[in-house]
Amino acid sequence: QLQLAESGGGSVQAGGALTLSCLVTGWILDYYPIAWFRQAPGKEREAVSCIRSVDGPKYYADFVKGRFTISRDNAAKTVYLQMNNLEPEDTAVYYCAAPHATYTDYVCDGPTRPEFGSWGQGTQVTVSP
C-alpha cells in the first residue's frame, strides 16, 4: 500500500518561490503517475499538476502554467513541485496523491479527486502580499 508524505511548505512573500517534495513509499514509484492538489479554506480541492509514470505531457492547471514545474526522481522515491512567482491566491494546503492502480497515466489528462486513492497529509503554503 502506498504512503505519501509532503514537505517543503512554508511562508513566503508574493513573488517568492518554494519547492515541495512528495516522498512515496510502499511500492515502486516508477509505475504510478503522481498529482499535486491544493485546497484553500472554504474552497474545493483542486488539481495543480500531474506527472505521468512514463515521459509524456505533464498536467498544469491554468492558474499555475508558467510558474510551477513538476518533476520526479524515481530512485529517490520523490516527486517535486517547484513553485515560482507565488501569489497570495496560491495560499492553500498542498497534497500529493497517487491513483488507485498502476499504469493509469490517463489521470494526468485532467486529474480529479475520485481517481486518486492515496493521499499525503498535506503541507501548508502561505503567500503574503
Side-chain angles (χ1 to χ4, degrees):
Q1 187 171 8
L2 291 181
Q3 295 176 316
L4 299 90
E6 305 92 342
S7 62
S11 298
V12 298
Q13 292 184 318
L18 287 171
T19 298
L20 306 183
S21 298
C22 175
L23 178 65
V24 184
T25 58
W27 198 247
I28 300 173
L29 176 60
D30 305 50
Y31 306 123
Y32 288 91
I34 300 292
W36 286 95
F37 288 74
R38 71 185 188 186
Q39 188 165 22
K43 301 191 69 175
E44 297 289 321
R45 189 169 300 188
E46 60 185 356
V48 175
S49 188
C50 190
I51 186 166
R52 302 167 187 266
S53 62
V54 178
D55 188 47
K58 301 174 180 67
Y59 171 84
Y60 295 102
D62 288 343
F63 51 81
V64 305
K65 285 182 178 177
R67 300 190 297 123
F68 291 10
T69 302
I70 191 169
S71 62
R72 66 192 295 157
D73 183 344
N74 290 340
K77 303 178 181 180
T78 304
V79 175
Y80 304 95
L81 185 67
Q82 174 67 49
M83 306 186 297
N84 298 323
N85 301 316
L86 285 163
E87 304 168 352
E89 293 76 15
D90 296 317
T91 295
V93 177
Y94 284 71
Y95 302 88
C96 60
H100 295 280
T102 58
Y103 299 104
T104 53
D105 280 349
Y106 62 85
V107 302
C108 286
D109 292 341
T112 61
R113 187 170 180 176
E115 295 174 306
F116 293 83
S118 299
W119 296 82
Q121 292 296 111
T123 185
Q124 176 71 47
V125 172
T126 302
V127 185
S128 302

